[in-house]
Amino acid sequence: HKSNPPDSDSDGLPIMLPRSSINVIKTKLNDAVSAKDPHAIASAVDLPPLPKTPSGSSGGNGGGGASGPQHREHLKIDGVDWSNVLNLLLDAHLAIQSNDLAQTYEAQSSLHSALNHALGSSKGNWLIPALHVVCRNTHRTAALADEYVNRSTGNRNDHARLQNAVTLLQASYSKTLNDRVELRPNDPLGEEGSKKVGVLYIVNQLFSMYFRLNTLRLCKNLLKPVESRNIHESGTMGEMVTYRYYVGRLNMFEDQYDLAEQNFDYALRHCHRSAVANKKRILNYLVPVKLLRGRLPTSKLLQKYSLHEFVPLLNGMRTGNLMEFSDGLMKNQDLFIRRGTYLLLEKCKMICYRNLFKRVYKIVGKEQIRLEYIARSFKWLGMPIDLDEVECILANLIFKQYIRGYLSHAKRVLVLSKKDPFPSSKVIK
């Protein structure tokens, strides 16, 4: 019988990293902190690539490393003890090496807590890049660990780790936002700088988490403090684009389509030219808002970003082909529901009705149109409806001022205005 080596547990799994790996990580952290090099520290506390085929425990308390670090290294730099940060970083590396996502999150969440403490007791903003890396890794490991646990247990709604990660990022947000040093956006990172320079990146991470958890009401708590201090206009371009993207989505859910369009337009215009995936993500929301406001995108744009799901909607709206519009909406219903744009696109049907009736008007060639003719157009499209339904649709279009005219219920006739009966200005906003 062979005994396990001292760095393994009873199952033969490693409980500590090899000494050579420990020394590399320790030296990298020591050198970076000693030099107070912001980006070197960020690199030192970053994690290696996460396992693509995780295994190991599916449990974990979702609260992050209550048992304390497994490694017991010592590291003191300029009189400040960095041992806890180092040991938790080593634990996270070990968990990744063991392909254990749940344990990776436990170690990463504890590392995040330790770095929050280090940031609070440090002067200046030289730890902000490291905090950003830790925030990103906490978010990512929490989401992946929840996903893995849900797959293992068959429970689709366990978000314990992501909910715990939110509290860690909220603590980081508070520590950066409440720094008393005045924010000067272009100042270099150092011992004199404001921690507020780190706010916008953390806000964007929190937005992403709130959307994932479907707790959009919490987004409101971030907007006022950020915008009252103009922090949303003083980040990097990438941070400002991401911020506008999420605020645009919030505007959209609150039916503030003019503001949503402004924010999405800004995000698309300022998005890096090579960030095609991000541009497509913005267009997934900008296109529905534009459609509702009567601004139809070109077929070339839809083709360039492979937005094929919008093609039948665009064609249906342009020609008044209600059948093509409805079929396109039904075919991609699940996709639009997941994005939260289905109800918005459903509202675009009114523009489709308006354009269909405009075609009937051009065929009939006079201001008085019998409702029977309109009902026939629906029947021709394979969507037969009765005259009462036709009246109801027309009443809504007249109310929205998409059509100028009035209905004669007794004669079952639509009487259109002689001057501009289908005003474009009311559709295109």
Side-chain angles (χ1 to χ4, degrees), residues 46-78:
D46 202 358
L47 298 182
L50 295 169
K52 289 180 181 175
T53 51
S55 59
S57 67
S58 62
N61 57 23
S67 58
Q70 290 173 285
H71 290 84
R72 295 284 184 271
E73 297 296 313
H74 297 283
L75 182 63
K76 210 163 194 175
I77 305 167
D78 297 332

Side-chain angles (χ1 to χ4, degrees), residues 19-290:
R19 173 48 56 186
S20 58
S21 299
I22 291 172
N23 289 342
V24 168
I25 294 166
K26 187 175 183 177
T27 302
K28 190 175 181 182
L29 182 63
N30 179 67
D31 292 352
V33 175
S34 298
K36 285 192 167 60
D37 182 332
H39 298 290
I41 301 167
S43 174
V45 298
D46 202 358
L47 298 182
L50 295 169
K52 289 180 181 175
T53 51
S55 59
S57 67
S58 62
N61 57 23
S67 58
Q70 290 173 285
H71 290 84
R72 295 284 184 271
E73 297 296 313
H74 297 283
L75 182 63
K76 210 163 194 175
I77 305 167
D78 297 332
V80 179
D81 191 2
W82 283 81
S83 304
N84 197 34
V85 169
L86 171 63
N87 289 319
L88 292 164
L89 180 62
L90 294 171
D91 286 358
H93 276 257
L94 176 64
I96 291 171
Q97 209 173 81
S98 305
N99 274 5
D100 192 332
L101 270 177
Q103 274 308 120
T104 300
Y105 175 69
E106 298 295 324
Q108 173 61 30
S109 61
S110 297
L111 172 62
H112 192 148
S113 186
L115 203 74
N116 275 345
H117 179 74
L119 181 81
S121 56
S122 68
K123 188 183 175 189
N125 58 11
W126 54 284
L127 282 176
I128 290 298
L131 183 69
H132 286 174
V133 163
V134 166
C135 285
R136 184 193 69 214
N137 286 339
T138 298
H139 178 185
R140 196 171 48 161
T141 54
L144 288 172
D146 279 341
E147 195 180 297
Y148 173 68
V149 170
N150 289 342
R151 254 198 333 265
S152 304
T153 60
N155 178 5
R156 294 175 62 187
N157 297 311
D158 180 3
H159 299 297
R161 287 148 206 82
L162 196 61
Q163 285 163 345
N164 172 255
V166 163
T167 61
L168 290 165
L169 270 84
Q170 284 170 338
S172 301
Y173 167 72
S174 296
K175 286 181 187 294
T176 51
L177 183 73
N178 297 326
D179 188 29
R180 293 182 180 180
V181 179
E182 186 186 345
L183 175 62
R184 295 188 186 89
N186 298 319
D187 279 9
L189 298 168
E191 291 188 275
E192 304 301 322
S194 172
K195 293 183 177 74
K196 288 191 184 81
V197 76
V199 170
L200 199 56
Y201 181 92
I202 299 166
V203 165
N204 290 335
Q205 290 288 329
L206 282 168
F207 276 154
S208 177
M209 295 162 96
Y210 291 155
F211 271 91
R212 197 186 283 255
L213 291 168
N214 199 25
T215 52
L216 303 190
R217 68 187 187 282
L218 297 176
C219 295
K220 285 288 198 184
N221 302 339
L222 303 174
L223 292 177
K224 195 172 180 182
V226 167
E227 297 194 355
S228 64
R229 295 169 172 83
N230 282 331
I231 292 172
H232 65 304
E233 294 176 352
S234 58
T236 65
M237 185 52 72
E239 289 167 358
M240 291 191 288
V241 164
T242 306
Y243 180 82
R244 293 295 194 101
Y245 164 74
Y246 281 116
V247 174
R249 286 182 65 182
L250 279 176
N251 297 147
M252 196 185 75
F253 288 125
E254 291 171 351
D255 295 341
Q256 296 175 316
Y257 300 120
D258 52 343
L259 287 175
E261 186 175 11
Q262 287 172 30
N263 282 308
F264 288 137
D265 269 335
Y266 178 95
L268 187 65
R269 275 199 320 273
H270 294 88
C271 190
H272 196 277
R273 62 168 63 179
S274 62
V276 177
N278 286 345
K279 286 187 174 185
K280 183 175 179 178
R281 198 170 285 129
I282 296 163
L283 285 165
N284 286 337
Y285 297 95
L286 179 57
V287 169
V289 171
K290 293 269 192 192

Side-chain angles (χ1 to χ4, degrees), residues 9 45 64 105 126 139 160 171 209 231 310 319 363 385 399 404:
D9 64 11
V45 298
Y105 175 69
W126 54 284
H139 178 185
M209 295 162 96
I231 292 172
F310 294 114
T319 61
I363 292 166
I385 61 173
F399 174 75
R404 283 195 186 128

Side-chain angles (χ1 to χ4, degrees), residues 313 316-323 325-326 345-361 374 377-378 381 383 385 389-390 392-398 400 402-403 414 422 427:
L313 307 186
M317 288 177 70
R318 189 170 277 145
T319 61
N321 188 336
L322 201 61
M323 176 65 89
F325 180 91
S326 298
L345 289 166
E346 178 78 32
K347 292 177 183 177
C348 296
K349 196 177 277 187
M350 294 307 286
I351 298 173
C352 205
Y353 286 136
R354 178 250 189 207
N355 290 343
L356 172 63
F357 298 158
K358 187 176 180 181
R359 292 188 76 184
V360 173
Y361 162 68
I374 295 172
S377 70
F378 277 89
L381 285 167
M383 304 174 74
I385 61 173
E389 287 179 87
V390 172
C392 183
I393 293 166
L394 283 166
N396 274 313
L397 288 169
I398 292 167
K400 287 178 177 287
Y402 285 3
I403 293 178
L414 168 66
F422 294 90
V427 178

